[in-house]
Amino acid sequence: MKLNFSKMHGLGNDFMVIDGVRQAVTLSNEAIGQLGHRQFGIGFDQLLLVEKSTTPGIDFRYRIFNCDGSEVEQCGNGSRCFARFVFDQGLTDKTEIAVETAKGVIYPRLESNGLVTVNMGAPRFAPSEIPFEAPNEAIIDPLIVDGQVYDISVVSMGNPHAVQIVDDVETAPVALHGTLIENHKRFPQKVNAGFMQIVSRSEICLRVFERAAGETLACGTGACAAVVAGIRRGLLDETVLVHTRGGDLTISWAGGDSPVMMTGPAVTVFEGSIEL
Ligand SMILES: N[C@H](CCC[C@H](N)C(=O)O)C(=O)O
């Protein structure tokens, strides 16, 4: 099977994007894991599969697979690349689309300045929606990591996030604690671990150890979750500039059931094809 694809990234969080509308794509989770391998495959943090939607009013279906082949619910940096891909590939002439994912509908919009703004939907906090083993919903939960208690905030953007505040992201134990949190027994479907440094009420620095992918240069849903966590803790205002290692995102959230809005870049590096 010949497979056409685009290699893209959102702030260095990189993707293999596949048109599943004009080509028949059958990929096992194992095959995706092989494609995702940095040395033996194409190499990516996630694979994004573009499919037509059969739901009235919805333009596309968006499936996301981590580099190990596991399918996940949401990918923020990927959603911007998704929108750029379908427009550039002529799959739509719309600059604002409705895209259904495993956990809800998102609405990416191509901006005239080349950036992409995405309505990522409302965050969720109930333990059952993360999922997270806890007696009730809370803004802060104590989590024992490596024998010490850390204050984390759990947020679902469709996918699960555990966010903590650190004094300095550059010296935070992201590698060690990231994997301990990712695989913590209280997260039955594992979790993305965010490390947030508060610069001001409108600016943070963030590193994210992603579920299955390890630390990535940026994590879009992680940035959404971190800003939501900071606002709920009373530490951030509604619109926040998020500095990641790969560059900057702007995240806004008005609270409650309002959607989280994310703005950032989406870049096509090259187009290719592969025989499978
Ligand atoms: N590793 C994540 C999926 C990708 C999220 C990230 N790349 C983003 O931009 O949101 C998970 O397992 O939930």
Side-chain angles (χ1 to χ4, degrees):
M1 168 179 72
K2 178 183 177 186
L3 210 52
N4 298 317
F5 67 91
S6 288
K7 187 72 175 32
M8 303 183 75
H9 75 85
L11 300 176
N13 183 199
D14 67 327
F15 311 107
M16 179 181 182
V17 188
I18 297 175
D19 172 357
V21 175
R22 291 174 298 199
Q23 51 186 2
V25 180
T26 49
L27 285 172
S28 67
N29 295 78
E30 183 189 6
I32 292 171
Q34 290 165 354
L35 287 170
H37 197 286
R38 291 287 181 191
Q39 283 74 40
F40 297 114
I42 288 172
F44 49 74
D45 290 330
Q46 283 86 33
L47 182 148
L48 313 181
L49 181 56
V50 179
E51 297 181 331
K52 260 300 182 202
S53 170
T54 56
T55 307
I58 303 295
D59 299 292
F60 294 99
R61 187 162 171 243
Y62 171 30
R63 296 179 69 188
I64 304 128
F65 300 83
N66 278 323
C67 50
D68 65 350
S70 59
E71 185 164 8
V72 292
E73 311 88 344
Q74 193 54 271
C75 178
N77 288 320
S79 67
R80 303 195 310 276
C81 291
F82 187 104
R84 168 72 57 220
F85 178 84
V86 296
F87 187 82
D88 291 352
Q89 293 291 320
L91 288 169
T92 182
D93 57 4
K94 294 181 182 178
T95 55
E96 183 161 1
I97 54 176
V99 182
E100 65 186 352
T101 69
K103 281 279 189 75
V105 179
I106 58 173
Y107 300 87
R109 182 181 67 239
L110 301 182
E111 306 286 14
S112 55
N113 63 6
L115 296 179
V116 185
T117 295
V118 187
N119 170 335
M120 292 295 294
R124 293 282 178 256
F125 309 106
S128 60
E129 294 194 89
I130 303 298
F132 176 55
E133 289 173 9
N136 48 44
E137 181 179 320
I139 292 176
I140 293 174
D141 277 283
L143 191 75
I144 298 175
V145 181
D146 200 17
Q148 286 195 304
V149 178
Y150 290 85
D151 285 344
I152 62 153
S153 294
V154 294
V155 180
S156 173
M157 289 305 300
N159 59 344
H161 290 271
V163 184
Q164 63 180 282
I165 294 177
V166 297
D167 294 334
D168 180 352
V169 288
E170 293 309 319
T171 59
V174 174
L176 171 63
H177 285 190
T179 187
L180 293 175
I181 295 167
E182 175 197 8
N183 297 288
H184 199 286
K185 63 181 186 307
R186 291 179 64 188
F187 292 98
Q189 293 177 13
K190 300 187 177 185
V191 71
N192 299 283
F195 300 80
M196 163 170 64
Q197 176 185 342
I198 306 273
V199 176
S200 74
R201 293 190 60 84
S202 59
E203 190 174 357
I204 65 170
C205 295
L206 179 69
R207 290 171 68 184
V208 180
F209 189 96
E210 286 197 29
R211 178 174 58 173
E215 182 175 6
T216 55
L217 290 177
C219 179
T221 52
C224 295
V227 169
V228 166
I231 291 172
R232 293 184 91 213
R233 291 187 187 207
L235 302 173
L236 295 176
D237 292 335
E238 181 171 324
T239 299
V240 177
L241 178 63
V242 180
H243 299 299
T244 76
R245 288 192 151 182
D248 296 346
L249 286 169
T250 301
I251 307 291
S252 298
W253 182 55
D257 278 338
S258 63
V260 183
M261 304 301 291
M262 168 186 64
T263 298
V267 174
T268 299
V269 180
F270 66 87
E271 295 182 7
S273 63
I274 185 169
E275 283 292 340
L276 293 176

